[in-house]
C-alpha cells in the first residue's frame, strides 16, 4: 500500500494524516537523518509533531515553546529543518521566526 492509499484510509478513519506524508518526504534520505527543531507553544502539538518526525526517521534535536528559545535552539543545534508555529509567546507575532532566520 502506497502513502496516498494509507493517507486516504487514515483520513476516513479519523486518524492523523500527516504521518504518511512526512514519511514519504523523508523516505528518500537513506544516508543521513534530518536534524529538526520544533517550535510550538502547545505542548500537545509539540510532542505530537516530535513523535511524527521521529517515527519518520528524523532526529528532533530540540523542542521549544517560545520565540527566544527558538533562536537559542537554532544557534546551538544548527538544524537542517525547523518546524515553527509563527504565533508563539511572548508576542504572538513572528519575531522568533524572523530572528532565527537572521
Amino acid at each position: 500500500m502506497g502513502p496516498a492509499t494509507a493517507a486516504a484510509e487514515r483520513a476516513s478513519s479519523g486518524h492523523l494524516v500527516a504521518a504518511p506524508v512526512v514519511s514519504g518526504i523523508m523516505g528518500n534520505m537513506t544516508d543521513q537523518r534530518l536534524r529538526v527543531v520544533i517550535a510550538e507553544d502547545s505542548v500537545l502539538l509539540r510532542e505530537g509533531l516530535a513523535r511524527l518526525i521521529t517515527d519518520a526517521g528524523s532526529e528532533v534535536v530540540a523542542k521549544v515553546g517560545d520565540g527566544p528559545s527558538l533562536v537559542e535552539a537554532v544557534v546551538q543545534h544548527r538544524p537542517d529543518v525547523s518546524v515553527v508555529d509563527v504565533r508563539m509567546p511572548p508576542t504572538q507575532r513572528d519575531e522568533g521566526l524572523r530572528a532565527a532566520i537572521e
Side-chain angles (χ1 to χ4, degrees), residues 6 8-10 16 18 21 30 34-36 38 46 48 54-56 59 63-65 78 80 82 88 92-93 96:
E9 287 183 12
R10 284 194 175 118
L16 185 62
V21 174
T30 56
L34 283 177
R35 299 175 69 252
V36 181
I38 298 172
R46 188 168 60 231
T54 302
D55 288 351
E59 176 185 6
K63 298 178 284 186
V64 300
R78 296 301 208 202
D80 300 308
S82 294
M88 287 189 302
Q92 298 298 320
R93 297 193 335 223

Side-chain angles (χ1 to χ4, degrees), residues 41 86-95:
D41 57 324
V86 295
R87 298 188 190 272
M88 287 189 302
T91 64
Q92 298 298 320
R93 297 193 335 223
D94 63 355
E95 286 116 356

Side-chain angles (χ1 to χ4, degrees), residues 4-90:
T5 306
E9 287 183 12
R10 284 194 175 118
S12 66
S13 68
H15 290 92
L16 185 62
V17 180
V21 174
V22 171
S23 21
I25 292 168
M26 311 277 199
N28 296 330
M29 294 190 61
T30 56
D31 294 342
Q32 74 182 69
R33 294 170 20 150
L34 283 177
R35 299 175 69 252
V36 181
V37 167
I38 298 172
E40 167 59 57
D41 57 324
S42 165
V43 175
L44 182 63
L45 287 175
R46 188 168 60 231
E47 294 302 321
L49 285 168
R51 183 169 180 183
L52 284 172
I53 290 167
T54 302
D55 288 351
S58 293
E59 176 185 6
V60 175
V61 294
K63 298 178 284 186
V64 300
D66 58 53
S69 298
L70 168 61
V71 174
E72 289 176 23
V74 168
V75 168
Q76 179 181 355
H77 296 286
R78 296 301 208 202
D80 300 308
V81 176
S82 294
V83 178
V84 180
D85 175 358
V86 295
R87 298 188 190 272
M88 287 189 302

